[in-house]
Amino acid sequence: MGTVDGFARQVTASVGGTGAGGEGFITLDGVEKVFQVRRRTGPLRRERREVRAVDGISFQVARGEMVGYIGPNGAGKSTTIKMLTGILTPSGGRLRVAGIDPSRERTRLAHRIGVVFGQRTTLWWDLPLRDSYRLMHRMYRVPDRRYRENLDRCVELLDLGELLDVPVRQLSLGQRMRGDIAAALLHDPEVLYLDEPTIGLDVVSKAKVRQFLKELNADRGTTVLLTTHDLTDIEQLCRRVMVIDHGRLMYDGSVAGLHAVGESERMLVVDLERELPPIELASDGPGPGSGSGAGSAPGSGSGAGSGPVLRAVRVEGVRQWLAFPASMSAAPLVARIAAEYPLLDLSVREPDIEAVIAKMYEAAP
Ligand SMILES: Nc1ncnc2c1ncn2[C@@H]1O[C@H](COP(=O)(O)OP(=O)(O)OP(=O)(O)O)[C@@H](O)[C@H]1O
């Protein structure tokens, strides 16, 4: 752990984006959460054990920021969010959201925050969406006009028109998620916590949710803290990302910086017109097979002087998996491949969070 701690200090110091001085809109200062758990160790014996779910985390988020909060399973993400909503009380440290201590003034804070837990719904299972929203209107005492405006906006942007009279239990996961996001926004919260908002969604639903969040943040200046296992969510939505592992902040900085620190790789998966030797492209020159049309057979050489920036790591018939540094833009590589190889189809795969974090550990001094 010592090495990793040293590494964490190094990356947060060098790439960190918390900004010194002043109080953030969301501020955590040495926040801890320790759970006491009992475990049966024999027929009559029970052992008490401490789980340090959050272990001294400090960061600040400015008003209007959209920040990714990522980490492997059990890292402490949900526990942090629960403390930020006031559901859980920290065991130590100081925490403020919009100047409010969440666990002490949970009700007051509730009017200023919205929460979406992707794995659970805040909607009433047997009621149509419209009725759940009416109940929330009353609960949060949202002025009528404001409520109607917010509802109309969410219905339009989240494409909920056809679904308002459908009981929640009959909605698909993607429809329910959009319904939940609308529910979290009816009272105009200044902060939105999203815990896995795209989990289990298909590509189209994910795109809808992401587009909506982008617009929400841009138009309304809503501060967003986003927890996800999908790095594409982070790539598309957040300029800043924090990584936690074992309850500690491992990294706080840009998404590109995360890839650089973790030396992670993205993958282009290409389908070619015919089987070819493994593709390799050098960073500073035309790829192999220049002048090749569909009829030529490009070789696997690379430009002089530098190593390959993209290389095939797997070949199966006409399909090749081409790895390249995740900090690089895929666009110029795609253009080169399309120009130089007989390309039929192509997709980009993002590295998963576990792989990026594993690389961070490997890279730790
Ligand atoms: N109520 C609880 N009682 C005891 N331990 C808990 C409790 N809630 C969480 N933990 C433990 O705290 C640690 C962090 O859990 P948490 O749910 O915050 O992780 P996470 O990063 O959100 O994980 P995931 O990505 O799997 O949702 C885990 O070891 C978990 O088992």
Side-chain angles (χ1 to χ4, degrees), residues 7-21:
F7 176 59
R9 270 197 300 279
Q10 175 200 321
V11 292
T12 47
S14 59
V15 208
T18 46

Side-chain angles (χ1 to χ4, degrees), residues 334-347:
V334 171
R336 281 174 67 184
I337 289 171
E340 295 162 19
Y341 291 89
L343 188 64
L344 280 182
D345 201 0
L346 173 144
S347 63

Side-chain angles (χ1 to χ4, degrees), residues 33-37 49 51-54 69-82 88 119 195-196 227-229 244 247 354:
K33 182 66 196 177
V34 181
F35 292 108
Q36 305 289 338
V37 284
R49 198 169 56 90
V51 176
R52 301 190 77 80
V54 171
Y69 194 58
I70 65 174
N73 289 125
K77 305 177 294 289
S78 301
T79 304
T80 311
I81 291 192
K82 285 177 190 161
L88 288 175
Q119 319 250 32
D195 195 352
E196 302 281 359
T227 283
T228 179
H229 274 94
I244 70 161
E354 278 73 10

